[in-house]
Amino acid sequence: METIRSLAGRWEVGEDGGLVSLAKAVEVEMATKDGKKHVPHASFEFECEGLEGMTLREIAQHGEGKGAELLGEYIECACSGVMACSTCHVIVDPAWIEKVGYPEVAEQDMLDLAYEPCDTSRLGCQVALRDELQGMVISIPEATHNLMDHIPFPDK
Ligand code: FES
């Protein structure tokens, strides 16, 4: 993992140019071909923290501590926060949605394309920490739709 980080991106701020995700995807693909069975989905809880003003995406990509590392493993944030991918889709606990706030039109448009959105869905790149959000509870959907996968980049 450290080798991958040092090969691309600004490793000092936690960026890897997507290589870690790519390496994990290849690892999973190879394990599937080797006949490894899928273990039924199991959920678990973890805590993470960030500074006021940081979005969930920023914590996932640049935060410190085990919680931020786990968040980074579970929300990809493929578009780096410009509301073009929906891979940062999170579901806010209904008890917290009034404090967190509902998405604006542009965010809602992207959420409509996310994997199984619900009434309390938000994009992690649009939810910034505020003091009154201490203790906020979110869950992470079991899958994502990465709309960045459908952008036809020209061949060189
Ligand atoms: S990081 Fe892509 S929509 Fe939030």
Side-chain angles (χ1 to χ4, degrees):
M1 192 67 82
E2 284 310 309
T3 305
I4 289 172
R5 283 205 178 98
S6 68
L7 286 175
R10 296 180 303 158
W11 62 270
E12 68 275 15
V13 292
E15 292 181 357
D16 63 26
L19 281 181
V20 172
S21 299
L22 179 62
K24 197 69 194 166
V26 170
E27 194 180 299
V28 169
E29 175 93 23
M30 290 172 68
T32 305
K33 282 185 181 160
D34 288 346
K36 287 197 176 167
K37 293 180 186 156
H38 280 274
V39 176
H41 174 72
S43 64
F44 67 100
E45 295 178 2
F46 63 92
E47 294 182 6
C48 73
E49 60 184 37
L51 300 173
E52 272 185 281
M54 288 180 88
T55 64
L56 298 180
R57 176 195 74 82
E58 290 169 326
I59 295 168
Q61 295 188 326
H62 310 295
E64 293 180 357
K66 188 68 182 164
E69 192 179 312
L70 281 167
L71 188 64
E73 284 181 27
Y74 288 100
I75 62 171
E76 182 184 354
C77 306
C79 75
S80 297
V82 297
M83 286 199 291
C85 71
S86 86
T87 62
C88 62
H89 176 206
V90 296
I91 298 168
V92 177
D93 185 289
W96 283 90
I97 192 64
E98 292 297 331
K99 274 189 183 169
V100 172
Y102 289 93
E104 296 188 3
V105 175
E107 182 182 346
Q108 186 59 56
D109 286 347
M110 182 51 62
L111 282 168
D112 289 343
L113 303 172
Y115 178 82
E116 297 187 357
C118 67
D119 291 346
T120 62
S121 286
R122 291 293 311 265
L123 293 176
C125 62
Q126 303 304 308
V127 176
L129 295 188
R130 307 185 307 271
D131 194 38
E132 65 266 28
L133 297 185
Q134 278 192 42
M136 172 179 64
V137 176
I138 63 166
S139 57
I140 300 169
E142 60 186 33
T144 59
H145 288 159
N146 185 354
L147 301 175
M148 296 290 282
D149 284 345
H150 304 292
I151 296 174
F153 293 108
D155 293 333
K156 289 186 178 180

